[in-house]
Each structure stands twice: as C-alpha cells, then as structure tokens.
Amino acid sequence: MLIPHRAPDVEETMLPPDYQRILAAVRQAAGPGMARQVGEMLGVDISVRAKLEPLRAKLVRLVDRGWLRKLPDARFTTRL
C-alpha cells in the first residue's frame, strides 16, 4: 500500500481510507495523543497488543510521510 508523502499538490483524500480515519481521529483529539488514545477513538481493542501495534505502525508511517508529527514523549499530533 502506497502512502504518499505530504506535499502541496497531494490531497488527504489520496490516502487509503483507514489512514484518513486515523488523521481524523488525531484531529478530533483534545491535544496530542498516544497510540492508545487514537485506538480508543477508532474502536480498536487496545487491551490486545497485537491489535494496537499495527495502528502504531500506521501512525509512524504518517509521521514519516509528513502527515503527522510525533512529539518526544511519543504522542502524536497534526502538523502545523
């Protein structure tokens, strides 16, 4: 699955639907959130590590592509 890098000519709608839902959840959060908090918002069973780790990997992928920002305390937030 190709996750495009964030650029002026790349729309959020070009992301796969699950990544769009992750971005929407991070935006709706009251502030920067941990992967667990994002998982709760998305309805992921956060008590099962095997279900939380794929979400964390997607969050990191969005950080790597410039869609999100990861703070030093491992919380995720939107780009400025």
Side-chain angles (χ1 to χ4, degrees):
M1 179 178 330
L2 181 64
I3 308 302
H5 288 270
R6 185 175 181 206
D9 61 334
V10 178
E11 297 292 325
E12 187 176 313
T13 57
M14 297 175 83
L15 292 170
D18 52 337
Y19 286 84
Q20 291 179 35
R21 285 193 347 259
I22 292 169
L23 281 175
V26 172
R27 281 193 190 108
Q28 289 175 355
M34 303 288 287
R36 287 184 172 280
Q37 294 166 319
V38 175
E40 286 176 344
M41 294 176 76
L42 295 172
V44 173
D45 184 1
I46 61 168
S47 65
V48 179
R49 186 179 181 118
K51 294 188 179 187
L52 185 59
E53 287 306 315
L55 173 62
R56 183 172 284 124
K58 289 178 181 180
L59 285 162
V60 169
R61 194 168 297 125
L62 287 169
V63 169
D64 291 343
R65 301 301 195 283
W67 294 96
L68 292 177
R69 193 167 52 115
K70 186 175 180 182
L71 302 176
D73 61 358
R75 293 182 302 155
F76 296 90
T77 188
T78 56
R79 300 290 298 177
L80 296 175

